[in-house]
Amino acid sequence: MELRDKIIKHFEGKVVRKDLTKLVKGNAVVPTYVLEYLLGQHCASSDDEIVQQGVEKVKDIIKKHFVHRDEAESVKHDILSKGSHRIIDKVSAKLNDKKGVYEAEFSNLGLKRVLISNDVIATHKKLLTSGVWCIINMAYLNGDDSANSPWIIESIKPIQISHIDLDEFKQLRQEFSKDEWIDLLLQSIGLNPEQFTFRSKLLQLTRMVSFCENNYNLIELGPKGTGKSHIYSELSPHGMLISGGEVTQAKLFVNNSNGQIGLVGYWDNVAFDEFAGISKRVDKNLVDTMKNYMANKSFSRGSTPYGATASFSFVGNTMHSLSYMMKHADLFEALPKAYYDTAFLDRIHCYLPGWEVQKLRNELFTDSYGFIVDYLAEVLKDLRKDDYSHLCSKYFDLSESITTRDRTGVLKTFSGLCKIIYPHGECSQEEAREILDFALEGRRRVKNQLVLMDDTFNEVDFSYTSKGEQDVTTVLTFEEKQYPSLVKNQHKVQPTTTEEIPIAVTENIEKKKPALVSGKHVVIAENQKGISYHKLFAPYLEGALKITILDPYVRHFYQVKNVMEFIQMLLSIKPVGEDIDVKLVTKNDDFNETESTERFNLMKDSLDGSGINFEFEYDQSQSFHARSIETDTGWKILLDRGLDIFQAYDFKNPFNLANSIQEERFCKGFEVTYLKDVD
């Protein structure tokens, strides 16, 4: 059964086609969870005709009832002329302490001081914060009481799913494999899982941990355009996204003048957008209160202590490349001075490497089915009550040298990701290891910077052992592996297993061409940069006049393009006056044979006269599976992925560096073995 059919079968009524949101949104500045709430009510079907009718219905609802700011007066006229009218708007409320009543304010309609009943406030306390999207029946009562607003709230309903069955959700999770479930989650946040590697999927899912883990502190710094803040504004009605420069102690914690609790008392996650910026001015007292809250889950203003469970997510843009930060500063260099404080940063549980996240482009978005985000948000909220860190202790023992604060950070990330990927509480040791390695790396990235910034912090051995075994696994951050020469404080960078060869191997290829090359095995990590065909193959292909590429899977455009780039590399090392025969042996299928043959012939024609004689043939034998490169000089290079070593990139953008420089592309995880025929 295809994933699409399985999703609809088990979660009918709780999923929606993600491309429908774009169809109905138009110019309405409304969160995704509002639109999907409506789509879930009217388009919960696999029948295309019913879906289309539902889309038109939702479009009509948005057209008739969503309040655009520039049409506010027209909406008021409708309410006045009809006597009553339903609207969709963002509503907040405040206590008028002089009158002892609550008054509502409408974000788009522009109305203020509209009476709202105490019962509504008691039921929906989030109205007292920065606002909640609601469906409201509004009326107008023309009276003589000039002291009160003539606008009447007849009924109000926050837009969110009222009930979810968590036990059913956990049970249905068992109907999906790990990969199927992760793909469903990626589709639920609007992304196409086919465009992401496993590690890249983990990066996206980690952004969701703040919604299912109490008092979780996450930071993500990276380039612009990677969608860092999108999930915090669109995924859940239980999260609040605010600008990093717009928060105050009164707004975030408690207003001393009236005793009103701030955002941390009402929201599951408070995300700080545009958090970076050296020149930003930040209240030092705010930072001190945040430090205490992030460490102790409590805060005090005046003499009264308060507790809360809200998580913090900090997102911002970096100023420099990863290698520059590692060589000249640290990974927190972009933060305002007040936040560039080791005591504050030590409270961060995980540093998400934003420089590894792909920039958003059209092909990264999905048109397949995913959870209605409001349904997923309610599930994540319910999961905040649970602790899944026991799945770690079931299989592994963390190093005793890991401090309490480091251990807390690791286990919170581990627990959160397990809630998201394994909500039913069942995973194998290897599946748990994948999550643990990622969680250790996220906290190690924080600790490494603290050691650089403050001599009072000591390095920590982020390692663990499997239950009943003696072998120690030490986890390094990706950047430590990628740039070992830039790692400061002289701590040694060792491979995590005996098979993995440090990235320094490829650095040697880059820095100098060895006089003699020898057989070896190289492991390249997922999301690594700095790799090219020249670095991997050139030293072993020099002097070869006949080269055969054996790869049964050269069918799609990008795979043919890989072959062309390989040949371009050969041209760069080809001795003057020599010709090189290159033969590609691959398979075809009924769907791609004509198209592939046309591409190969175009390539052959373009190489005419270049000194590269290109030929191709199809081998349809059942035993043809392995991928390799063979030369007439005796070298055989075994490739578990063939030439398909790079993740998808925006090849349509002529200004994208990854188009012309392979080293700027993210790699898939792959292995290369170099063998020499001694005969």
Side-chain angles (χ1 to χ4, degrees), residues 13-257:
K14 302 178 181 69
V15 293
V16 67
R17 252 179 50 199
K18 291 296 170 170
D19 59 324
L20 299 182
T21 306
K22 296 179 181 178
L23 292 178
V24 302
K25 189 165 188 175
N27 296 323
V29 185
V30 58
T32 299
Y33 60 80
V34 174
L35 296 175
E36 290 193 0
Y37 174 86
L38 298 172
L39 288 168
Q41 290 185 320
H42 300 282
C43 304
S45 173
S46 58
D47 188 311
D48 289 340
E49 184 176 348
I50 295 176
V51 168
Q52 187 57 43
Q53 291 174 356
V55 167
E56 294 305 316
K57 176 67 174 178
V58 174
K59 283 183 178 179
D60 189 57
I61 291 173
I62 295 296
K63 180 179 179 181
K64 291 181 178 178
H65 303 292
F66 179 80
V67 179
H68 295 268
R69 282 192 176 92
D70 58 351
E71 298 176 353
E73 293 304 316
S74 176
V75 174
K76 292 177 186 177
H77 170 75
D78 290 340
I79 299 171
L80 177 64
S81 59
K82 295 178 181 179
S84 178
H85 182 59
R86 177 173 293 183
I87 66 170
I88 298 174
D89 201 352
K90 189 175 184 180
V91 183
S92 60
K94 293 181 179 179
L95 174 66
N96 185 327
D97 50 5
K98 293 182 178 180
K99 296 183 178 181
V101 296
Y102 288 98
E103 297 174 339
E105 179 176 339
F106 293 75
S107 178
N108 291 350
L109 192 57
L111 295 178
K112 298 181 179 180
R113 302 179 64 184
V114 179
L115 290 177
I116 185 169
S117 74
N118 290 1
D119 290 340
V120 171
I121 297 298
T123 305
H124 308 294
K125 290 185 178 179
K126 284 186 180 178
L127 291 167
L128 296 173
T129 60
S130 296
V132 177
W133 285 95
C134 302
I135 298 175
I136 314 106
N137 279 336
M138 290 291 295
Y140 183 87
L141 180 61
N142 191 4
D144 298 329
D145 187 1
S146 60
N148 294 318
S149 171
W151 301 100
I152 305 296
I153 298 175
E154 292 185 327
S155 66
I156 182 169
K157 182 182 184 299
I159 294 178
Q160 61 185 86
I161 289 177
S162 59
H163 173 73
I164 59 105
D165 187 338
L166 186 59
D167 291 334
E168 177 192 53
F169 179 84
K170 293 178 179 180
Q171 182 180 355
L172 291 174
R173 162 62 180 91
Q174 300 178 66
E175 301 294 331
F176 296 79
S177 68
K178 178 194 75 174
D179 291 334
E180 287 176 336
W181 186 255
I182 289 176
D183 287 355
L184 169 54
L185 292 171
L186 260 287
Q187 289 171 187
S188 297
I189 58 178
L191 299 176
N192 180 1
E194 295 180 0
Q195 298 290 328
F196 294 83
T197 63
F198 177 70
R199 179 178 173 87
S200 297
K201 292 174 184 177
L202 276 185
L203 293 174
Q204 295 289 341
L205 295 182
T206 305
R207 291 170 168 174
M208 299 166 61
V209 173
S210 299
F211 293 101
C212 67
E213 193 72 20
N214 287 333
N215 301 102
Y216 182 70
N217 306 316
L218 173 76
I219 191 167
E220 179 183 355
L221 302 177
K224 298 177 181 178
T226 58
K228 291 186 290 294
S229 61
H230 176 79
I231 199 167
Y232 302 113
S233 63
E234 301 291 336
L235 174 69
S236 173
H238 304 299
M240 172 59 64
L241 178 69
I242 57 176
S243 173
E246 294 179 356
V247 67
T248 62
Q249 281 185 282
K251 182 176 182 179
L252 188 59
F253 294 107
V254 63
N255 190 325
N256 277 346
S257 64

Side-chain angles (χ1 to χ4, degrees), residues 550 552 584-588 617-624:
L550 295 103
L584 170 67
V585 182
T586 188
K587 284 187 176 183
N588 62 31
E617 72 175 39
Y618 296 113
D619 182 347
Q620 297 301 106
S621 62
Q622 295 295 320
S623 59
F624 182 28

Side-chain angles (χ1 to χ4, degrees), residues 23 41 101 181 190 300 308 382 407 422 431 439 452 460 465 474 504 508 513 547 554 610 621 623:
L23 292 178
Q41 290 185 320
V101 296
W181 186 255
S300 60
D382 265 18
R407 185 180 298 266
Y422 308 105
E431 289 170 337
L452 291 176
V460 174
T465 57
T474 299
N508 290 337
K513 189 183 302 179
I547 298 172
V554 181
S610 67
S621 62
S623 59

Side-chain angles (χ1 to χ4, degrees), residues 249 283-293 341 344:
Q249 281 185 282
D283 181 2
K284 186 65 167 62
N285 292 327
L286 169 64
V287 178
D288 290 338
T289 306
M290 291 175 70
K291 281 192 291 189
N292 184 64
Y293 173 74
D341 176 344
F344 172 82

Side-chain angles (χ1 to χ4, degrees), residues 215-217 253 287-299 308 310 312 343-344 346-349 404-405 408 412:
N215 301 102
Y216 182 70
N217 306 316
F253 294 107
V287 178
D288 290 338
T289 306
M290 291 175 70
K291 281 192 291 189
N292 184 64
Y293 173 74
M294 292 164 69
N296 304 315
K297 309 174 188 177
S298 63
F299 57 93
F312 282 166
F344 172 82
D346 195 22
R347 273 74 168 170
I348 300 291
H349 296 129
T404 300
R405 187 162 285 171
T408 298
K412 275 186 167 290

Side-chain angles (χ1 to χ4, degrees), residues 523-581:
V523 175
I524 301 299
E526 184 177 298
N527 275 21
Q528 183 175 332
K529 276 188 174 183
I531 302 301
S532 67
Y533 290 163
H534 190 279
K535 292 178 183 179
L536 289 173
F537 306 129
Y540 298 87
L541 300 180
E542 287 186 347
L545 299 180
K546 293 183 181 296
I547 298 172
T548 302
I549 305 169
L550 295 103
D551 189 340
Y553 306 107
V554 181
R555 300 169 183 173
H556 301 292
F557 173 83
Y558 75 92
Q559 293 170 326
V560 178
K561 185 174 184 290
N562 288 337
V563 176
M564 187 62 189
E565 291 187 348
F566 177 85
I567 291 175
Q568 290 171 342
M569 178 272 296
L570 289 178
L571 282 168
S572 71
I573 64 172
K574 184 183 72 67
V576 177
E578 299 287 349
D579 286 353
I580 299 177
D581 296 329

Side-chain angles (χ1 to χ4, degrees), residues 431-676:
E431 289 170 337
R433 187 190 303 275
E434 292 173 334
I435 304 301
L436 178 58
D437 286 351
F438 191 83
L440 283 163
E441 181 185 343
R443 176 58 189 180
R444 181 183 176 106
R445 184 171 290 109
V446 175
K447 199 57 174 281
N448 283 353
Q449 311 318 305
L450 297 176
V451 172
L452 291 176
M453 296 164 64
D454 190 337
D455 292 339
T456 63
F457 283 89
N458 298 318
E459 292 186 43
V460 174
D461 176 20
F462 285 88
S463 66
Y464 63 90
T465 57
S466 299
K467 292 285 188 182
E469 298 181 9
Q470 299 298 319
D471 291 343
V472 177
T473 299
T474 299
V475 174
L476 305 177
T477 65
F478 186 78
E479 57 271 12
E480 287 178 291
K481 296 179 183 180
Q482 184 168 6
Y483 299 108
S485 62
L486 299 181
V487 176
K488 299 176 183 177
N489 286 347
Q490 307 303 314
H491 62 270
K492 297 180 180 179
V493 177
Q494 299 292 340
T496 58
T497 67
T498 55
E499 292 80 20
E500 182 178 346
I501 296 179
I503 294 173
V505 169
T506 57
E507 287 190 344
N508 290 337
I509 296 175
E510 178 182 11
K511 293 176 181 177
K512 61 178 181 179
K513 189 183 302 179
L516 295 173
V517 291
S518 58
K520 63 181 178 181
H521 181 71
V522 173
V523 175
I524 301 299
E526 184 177 298
N527 275 21
Q528 183 175 332
K529 276 188 174 183
I531 302 301
S532 67
Y533 290 163
H534 190 279
K535 292 178 183 179
L536 289 173
F537 306 129
Y540 298 87
L541 300 180
E542 287 186 347
L545 299 180
K546 293 183 181 296
I547 298 172
T548 302
I549 305 169
L550 295 103
D551 189 340
Y553 306 107
V554 181
R555 300 169 183 173
H556 301 292
F557 173 83
Y558 75 92
Q559 293 170 326
V560 178
K561 185 174 184 290
N562 288 337
V563 176
M564 187 62 189
E565 291 187 348
F566 177 85
I567 291 175
Q568 290 171 342
M569 178 272 296
L570 289 178
L571 282 168
S572 71
I573 64 172
K574 184 183 72 67
V576 177
E578 299 287 349
D579 286 353
I580 299 177
D581 296 329
V582 177
K583 185 176 184 179
L584 170 67
V585 182
T586 188
K587 284 187 176 183
N588 62 31
D589 57 38
D590 295 336
F591 301 100
N592 299 94
E593 179 179 358
T594 301
E595 192 173 49
S596 296
T597 299
E598 289 176 354
R599 289 168 177 165
F600 293 146
N601 282 325
L602 285 172
M603 187 188 306
K604 183 176 180 178
D605 292 342
S606 71
L607 292 169
D608 187 29
S610 67
I612 300 291
N613 303 314
F614 176 70
E615 299 290 340
F616 65 94
E617 72 175 39
Y618 296 113
D619 182 347
Q620 297 301 106
S621 62
Q622 295 295 320
S623 59
F624 182 28
H625 296 291
R627 306 174 186 184
S628 64
I629 299 171
E630 298 177 0
T631 73
D632 61 348
T633 55
W635 280 107
K636 184 171 184 177
I637 305 172
L638 304 179
L639 305 164
D640 64 342
R641 284 191 176 275
L643 298 176
D644 186 15
I645 65 173
F646 300 111
Q647 298 182 35
Y649 60 96
D650 189 6
F651 62 89
K652 296 180 181 179
N653 179 2
F655 305 107
N656 184 9
L657 282 176
N659 251 333
S660 55
I661 303 176
Q662 290 184 332
E663 289 91 337
E664 290 297 316
R665 302 173 189 171
F666 289 113
C667 284
K668 301 175 181 177
F670 68 96
E671 300 181 14
V672 185
T673 302
Y674 305 83
L675 301 175
K676 177 70 172 179

